[in-house]
Amino acid sequence: MRLTGSLAMICALALVLALQDVLLTAVHLPLAAPDLLLAVTAAVGFARGPQTGLLVGFLLGLAADITPPAAHAIGSQAFVLCLSGYLAGRAAGAVQGTVLRPVLMVVCLAALSPVLYAALGFAVGSGEFKGVLAAAAASALYTGVLAPFAIPVVGFVLGRGETRGLPAQRSHGRLPGVKTLNRRASAGSTQVL
């Protein structure tokens, strides 16, 4: 990744963090808040694979952990987003092809995140599991409403970033139902079966 691609990625992640802190935490919804950081991390994982999803999740989570007002242990959000980005990247092949599958994956990750936060809190001696299932359901609902807007925007931004030096995830297989015509005559034209 070139320097301009890295700087563009850092600026975009800072914008996402600011949107999460300023707008979405100010909305007082019952039990949980929409998690834009998780939706963006999962979308990056879908677009770029597990390693980039893991890295973006770690960077966003660590930035969210150290930005005030953080009322949790430093590293907990980094761990949850890191794991979410990795899992989304691993599931990228399975969710491609429809609009609903990536959104359902984000909903599952959003439902898993309060459970992971509670488990981490319990592991260090400061957490409890009271109300976690209700928070998981609310987080899944709110983030599921946000995901259909976040995933295409991230995909568009990362798609445009390929020309600015951000590497694209390489597909080793062909698209189903698409056949390449004679390479010399068509110079990359395709025919849909």
Side-chain angles (χ1 to χ4, degrees), residues 26-180:
V27 176
H28 295 290
L29 296 170
L31 300 174
D35 198 350
L36 180 64
L37 300 180
L38 186 127
V40 167
T41 300
V44 170
F46 295 146
R48 295 282 194 245
Q51 291 176 337
T52 307
L54 185 129
L55 178 66
V56 166
F58 177 74
L59 292 175
L60 270 177
L62 188 62
D65 281 336
I66 61 175
T67 347
H72 53 275
I74 291 180
S76 62
Q77 194 162 6
F79 173 73
V80 171
L81 290 178
C82 185
L83 184 62
S84 298
Y86 178 77
L87 291 174
R90 294 288 295 177
V95 300
Q96 288 180 349
T98 67
V99 176
L100 187 60
R101 286 186 209 159
V103 173
L104 289 177
M105 181 67 183
V106 171
V107 166
C108 291
L109 291 171
L112 180 66
S113 67
V115 176
L116 288 174
Y117 287 128
L120 281 172
F122 188 75
V124 297
S126 64
E128 58 183 42
F129 288 102
K130 183 179 178 184
V132 170
L133 293 179
S139 177
L141 176 69
Y142 302 148
T143 307
V145 169
L146 188 67
F149 302 104
I151 293 171
V153 169
V154 170
F156 176 75
V157 169
L158 291 178
R160 290 183 49 90
E162 291 174 11
T163 60
R164 292 189 303 250
L166 296 173
Q169 182 179 359
R170 302 288 186 235
S171 174
H172 297 293
R174 293 187 181 179
L175 296 173
V178 176
K179 180 178 104 176
T180 304

